């Protein structure tokens, strides 16, 4: 089927919840992808930070195919060796105690909210502080956690009990904590909010404040986690340990998975029957995730991510059309002096480069395995597009 047929079918049969770009990707290799008409792209999106080992990594694909050929799913009433092995490997990589597996970032955050409510229950605390400009998912509870009104509109009422603070405003958070708060949930780099990194000293101070007030510190590492920032989880570069970590996107390298990790203090906080998911911990997804954790938690791999991130950033900063670059590792956003970010995204796709936006920034989440040659090829196209925009 050619692109026009695909587009017509999509228009007719898919609910239009996405503003789609005119490209139907059918094949990929590391940071290169090809569309239904055979056109080649450099991919700086990795499917919104999902394909951390690039497209169709041979070892990852073999691990997944092997598991699919052995046993593809089992009910959570039985033990699953892939599930338990992943839990051990992930907890070790994260410095956490136990994992609950689900299928997405929103579900991982839902689980974190349930854990927080259960933790606070005996003290009559049930509210959760999140940050303005945050993004935590699309369910009614994670939308409530999301501190951006644009996502709430048309879907009220949302789950009760979320309070919003400004990033960096420790005094503001301190006063909110007086109001029956059991947990604080933040992203260390706000992704959808425009690639906004938190000051590590703010995160450290927040850790101490939460300890002082017996409030859980929960980190949404759905976008920042699994190597993206040059650390396995971003807090590992901040010298703190959270009480709860949520993870998804890149965790299984392109298969649906979510995880909610808890620290020692919360061991066995949820009891049998209090949380569950039919597909959660699915062995095929776990086989993919084990390959990801094995490769990405290697310090040499993480060092490479940090170095490639530096290189990418320096090349962006050298462009005269760039006003500023924000982010960490291979999670980068650029604000441009001229041109609308979404128009630039569309023009990049026309020229064979896939990028994302976040608010008014052009956002880059390339596969962590991207080569310098692929970075150069993509940034050459980006430079060309920016020149054309500035000539208009
Ligand atoms: C993408 C994202 C989510 C939601 O994840 P889904 O898998 O789409 O439910 C939650 N939090 C953050 C920080 C994200 O980037």
């Amino acid at each position: 089927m050619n692109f026009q047929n695909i587009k017509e079918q999509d228009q007719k049969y898919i609910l239009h919840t996405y503003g789609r770009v005119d490209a139907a990707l059918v094949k990929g290799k590391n940071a290169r992808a090809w569309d239904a008409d055979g056109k080649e792209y450099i991919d700086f999106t990795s499917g919104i930070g999902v394909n951390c080992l690039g497209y169709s990594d041979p070892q990852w694909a073999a691990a997944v195919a092997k598991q699919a050929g052995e046993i593809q799913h089992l009910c959570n009433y039985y033990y699953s060796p892939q599930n338990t092995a992943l839990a051990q490997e992930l907890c070790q990589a994260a410095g956490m105690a136990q994992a609950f597996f689900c299928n997405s970032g929103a579900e991982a955050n839902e689980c974190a909210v349930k854990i927080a409510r259960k933790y606070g229950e005996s003290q009559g605390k049930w509210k959760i502080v999140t940050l303005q400009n945050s993004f935590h998912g699309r369910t009614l509870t994670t939308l409530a956690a999301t501190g951006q009104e644009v996502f709430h509109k048309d879907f009220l009422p949302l789950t009760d009990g979320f309070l919003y603070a400004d990033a960096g405003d420790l005094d503001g958070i301190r006063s909110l904590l007086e109001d029956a708060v059991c947990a604080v949930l933040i992203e260390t780099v706000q992704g959808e909010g425009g690639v906004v990194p938190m000051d590590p000293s703010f995160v450290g101070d927040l850790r101490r404040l939460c300890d002082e007030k017996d409030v859980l510190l929960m980190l949404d590492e759905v976008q920042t986690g699994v190597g993206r920032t040059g650390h396995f989880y971003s807090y590992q570069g901040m010298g703190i340990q959270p009480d709860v970590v949520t993870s998804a996107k890149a965790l299984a390298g392109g298969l649906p998975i979510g995880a909610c990790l808890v620290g020692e203090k919360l061991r066995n906080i949820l009891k049998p029957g209090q949380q569950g998911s039919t597909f959660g911990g699915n062995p095929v997804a776990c086989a993919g995730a084990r390959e990801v954790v094995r490769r990405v938690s290697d310090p040499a791999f993480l060092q490479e991510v940090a170095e490639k991130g530096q290189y990418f950033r320096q090349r962006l900063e050298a462009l005269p059309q760039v006003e500023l670059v924000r982010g960490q590792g291979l999670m980068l956003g650029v604000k441009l002096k001229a041109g609308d970010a979404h128009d630039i995204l569309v023009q990049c796709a026309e020229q064979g480069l896939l990028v994302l936006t976040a608010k008014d920034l052009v956002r880059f989440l390339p596969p962590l395995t991207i080569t310098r040659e692929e970075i150069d090829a993509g940034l050459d196209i980006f430079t060309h597009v920016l020149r054309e925009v500035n000539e208009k």
Side-chain angles (χ1 to χ4, degrees), residues 104-107 109 135-137 187 192 220 222-223 248-249:
S104 68
E107 281 177 276
N109 285 332
F135 183 84
H136 298 293
E187 298 155 273
E192 304 308 306
D220 178 343
V222 170
Q223 193 162 147
K249 289 199 165 87

Side-chain angles (χ1 to χ4, degrees), residues 44 312 315-316 364 374-384:
F44 283 173
F312 203 127
R315 272 210 61 180
L316 288 171
F364 307 103
E374 288 163 335
I375 293 175
D376 285 340
L379 287 178
D380 287 348
I381 298 172
F382 189 61
T383 307
H384 180 76

Side-chain angles (χ1 to χ4, degrees), residues 278-292:
T278 298
F279 284 116
N282 169 279
V284 178
C286 286
R290 290 186 67 194
E291 180 65 17
V292 166

Side-chain angles (χ1 to χ4, degrees), residues 93-365:
M96 300 299 280
Q98 287 180 318
F100 172 78
F101 291 113
C102 49
N103 313 288
S104 68
E107 281 177 276
N109 285 332
E110 287 270 350
C111 182
V113 169
K114 285 179 76 172
I115 287 169
R117 289 248 179 121
K118 176 114 194 252
Y119 181 76
E121 203 195 8
S122 63
Q123 306 171 57
K125 301 200 293 195
W126 60 284
K127 296 186 185 177
I128 295 173
V129 171
T130 64
L131 297 182
Q132 299 286 358
N133 196 47
S134 56
F135 183 84
H136 298 293
R138 300 283 192 165
T139 64
L140 290 177
T141 295
T142 55
L143 273 183
T146 294
Q148 298 190 59
E149 226 148 87
V150 44
F151 293 110
H152 296 178
K153 198 175 126 332
D154 296 342
F155 304 111
L156 302 174
L158 305 175
T159 303
D160 211 0
F162 288 89
L163 307 171
Y164 312 104
D166 287 321
D169 180 12
L170 202 71
D171 289 337
I173 295 176
R174 187 186 295 278
S175 61
L176 288 178
L177 293 190
E178 300 308 318
D179 183 16
V181 168
C182 57
V184 177
L185 171 67
I186 68 163
E187 298 155 273
T188 55
V189 183
Q190 294 181 331
E192 304 308 306
V195 197
V196 186
M198 297 298 115
D199 192 330
S201 72
F202 164 64
V203 181
D205 290 344
L206 187 58
R207 173 69 280 182
R208 281 182 286 281
L209 177 62
C210 287
D211 281 339
E212 185 191 313
K213 301 284 181 189
D214 191 16
V215 162
L216 299 179
L217 177 61
M218 313 202 295
L219 297 185
D220 178 343
E221 292 254 14
V222 170
Q223 193 162 147
T224 49
V226 193
R228 180 56 56 190
T229 65
H231 303 279
F232 190 78
Y233 284 117
S234 67
Y235 59 82
Q236 293 170 311
M238 296 178 168
I240 61 133
Q241 198 64 26
D243 300 302
V244 176
V245 184
T246 58
S247 193
K249 289 199 165 87
L251 183 54
L255 289 173
I257 196 169
C260 181
L261 309 178
V262 299
E264 210 47 68
K265 177 160 98 177
L266 297 172
R267 180 176 284 282
N268 294 331
I269 174 102
L270 296 174
K271 303 294 176 212
Q274 292 200 316
Q275 182 64 324
S277 161
T278 298
F279 284 116
N282 169 279
V284 178
C286 286
R290 290 186 67 194
E291 180 65 17
V292 166
V293 173
R294 187 179 70 77
R295 302 252 292 274
V296 176
S297 66
D298 179 349
F301 184 99
L302 293 168
Q303 178 67 29
E304 275 268 296
V305 172
E307 283 167 16
K308 287 185 289 192
Q310 271 304 321
Y311 176 72
F312 203 127
R313 188 184 191 112
Q314 281 160 7
R315 272 210 61 180
L316 288 171
E317 280 168 347
L319 296 174
Q321 301 88 348
V322 165
E323 189 179 307
L324 65 86
V325 184
R326 278 203 298 251
Q328 203 190 350
L330 285 171
M331 178 174 185
L332 295 168
V334 291
K335 192 172 260 185
L336 298 164
K337 290 176 186 158
D340 171 74
H342 186 261
D343 290 347
I344 289 167
L345 175 153
V346 171
Q347 287 185 52
C348 284
E350 274 168 22
Q351 308 269 342
L353 173 67
L354 305 175
V355 299
L356 299 161
T357 61
K359 293 269 176 80
D360 58 343
L361 276 74
V362 178
R363 175 172 46 149
F364 307 103
L365 297 170

